[in-house]
Amino acid sequence: TVVIDESSMIVKRTRMTLTPVTQMPWDGQTLPLVSPDGRKMVVQTSGTATWAERVGDPLGPEGFTSRMEAVSLAGDTPGLPLSRLDGPWVLGRGASDEGYLVERPRNDGGRDIAMQRWSGSLVPIVQDEWCNAFATVARDGTLAWSRRDPEGGDWQLVCRRDGVTRVLDGAPGSS
């Protein structure tokens, strides 16, 4: 809606009505992810990971557990369970129409990234000697994430598109 106020200025206004689709518990720390088509959502409903484990530090000796639950947001099936992932996983920061990204810290300081499909299958994306974290995915399938040596140090930005991977170094001492 476009409105012209008293001073002849154009003021854009949007009016919306929001209707709740479903309600889910969450862990109180991890933001949910919604597929780009708006038809699916995943929520980390519980988790015992420490803040350090969530932000790229090695897995503690006691480990942790978490649960992610994916549901439908489609108009004809709101709240319908789609899949569940249990284990030492952290919900990532990206989702596509195929699935959502998850990260698994390892005891050696490394960290793996995988795509959990909305249907429930787990597809490894990055499993190497690096601590890989903070992954996101673009609509065209381009992946981007940060990595560093498991012992610490500076982060690098990694981008993968159509099977081609580029690594960009940050400024020394930056994060």
Side-chain angles (χ1 to χ4, degrees), residues 8 10 35 47 51 59 62-63 84 89 95-96 119 126 134 143 152 156 168 171:
S8 298
I10 295 177
S35 62
W51 183 250
L59 180 65
E62 63 284 344
R84 188 173 89 193
W89 294 95
S96 70
S119 61
V126 184
F134 321 121
L143 292 159
Q156 298 173 315
L168 305 168

Side-chain angles (χ1 to χ4, degrees), residues 47-64:
T48 60
T50 65
W51 183 250
E53 290 164 331
R54 290 173 182 272
V55 297
D57 284 353
L59 180 65
E62 63 284 344
F64 71 89

